[in-house]
Amino acid sequence: MTTPPVGAPLVDVVLPCLDEEGALPWVLGRMPEGWHGIVVDNGSTDDSARVAADHGATVVQEARRGFGSAAHAGLLAATAPYVAFCDADASMDPADLVALAAPVIAGDADLVLGRRRPTTRGAWPVHARIANLVLARLMRRASGVALHDLGPMRVARRDALLALDLKDRRSGYPLEMVLRASEAGWRIREQDAPYSPRVGRSKVTGTIRGTSIAVKDMSRLLREVGR
């Protein structure tokens, strides 16, 4: 286990954000003790940045649109020895990251991902769930890792993540992380994480168009890896 300097966070939590002012107070209020939130504002038109700063988060502005752009900007801004990723829409509880981080901090795993477990029937739309099942099957075939979800919640060491040199800046970023980590021989683990209805309007899984874009991005990445 790496011990940060006194007063420095053990884990930085990267929260890609696009118009999430309604969810951020709850999300940042659930940050584990000794952890720090990094909210990456990916072009919000509401008061997300101000709300995030008012609730103690570091705010990073990332003008280039795309989940990967926001997630990677947060990784580059992080300084803690461990980095976690979580959506900023209150669909997942940052407090649940503690259980995911434990194997990484203990040195028993290199990357732990949260397998989404819906808390209500409407938390995960059917079209998004079907798309995830198909992509997860392709991911298992490409990586050889027994994973069932391409969810946003994950934890790893900061220096190791940077060494993966991830290139995707769209919806394929989480998938590329798994594929590159597998190629590098990482010990990858999956653990259950509750998944609740999000606050506000969904940009990806809640819409057929958003899900379709994510599927196209990830399918393209899988084809490139298979060449």
Side-chain angles (χ1 to χ4, degrees):
M1 172 180 172
T2 300
T3 302
V6 176
L10 175 66
V11 182
D12 279 328
V13 182
V14 175
L15 299 156
C17 172
L18 178 59
D19 297 331
E20 303 291 2
E21 65 177 0
L24 283 171
W26 183 86
V27 171
L28 293 171
R30 298 287 295 170
M31 201 63 57
E33 184 177 357
W35 295 31
H36 181 66
I38 299 177
V39 173
V40 184
D41 187 354
N42 200 205
S44 296
T45 58
D46 64 5
D47 283 337
S48 290
R50 180 189 59 77
V51 171
D54 287 348
H55 286 79
T58 295
V59 177
V60 175
Q61 297 291 340
E62 174 53 54
R64 182 179 175 183
R65 285 290 185 94
F67 177 84
S69 294
H72 201 70
L75 174 60
L76 294 177
T79 57
Y82 303 96
V83 174
F85 296 86
C86 185
D87 278 350
D89 59 10
S91 62
M92 306 191 83
D93 188 342
D96 292 329
L97 284 166
V98 174
L100 269 65
V104 178
I105 294 173
D108 297 326
D110 301 305
L111 174 64
V112 178
L113 300 94
R115 182 180 184 181
R116 288 171 287 186
R117 295 297 195 182
T119 58
T120 65
R121 180 175 295 181
W124 199 355
V126 173
H127 65 270
R129 193 178 307 196
I130 293 173
N132 185 71
L133 287 173
V134 173
L135 287 168
R137 187 177 298 116
L138 294 173
M139 177 180 65
R140 289 195 295 272
R141 187 181 304 166
S143 68
V145 183
L147 299 174
H148 302 83
D149 190 11
L150 290 167
M153 189 175 272
R154 52 193 60 204
V155 184
R157 289 185 56 89
R158 175 182 173 274
D159 56 356
L161 284 170
L162 289 171
L164 292 179
D165 194 24
L166 302 177
K167 301 297 186 183
D168 194 280
R169 295 295 181 266
R170 289 168 58 89
S171 300
Y173 187 86
L175 175 58
E176 185 186 12
M177 184 183 296
V178 172
L179 295 176
R180 300 306 176 211
S182 176
E183 291 173 357
W186 285 25
R187 296 163 297 169
I188 304 174
R189 183 182 300 184
E190 186 176 64
Q191 295 180 187
D192 288 352
Y195 188 59
S196 303
R198 60 159 291 137
V199 172
R201 182 179 62 85
S202 178
K203 293 84 175 174
V204 182
T205 58
T207 66
I208 294 177
R209 179 178 181 276
T211 299
S212 176
I213 292 173
V215 169
K216 288 179 180 178
D217 286 346
M218 295 185 189
S219 297
R220 169 187 49 78
L221 186 60
L222 285 165
R223 289 194 300 269
E224 292 173 355
V225 171
R227 288 174 185 169

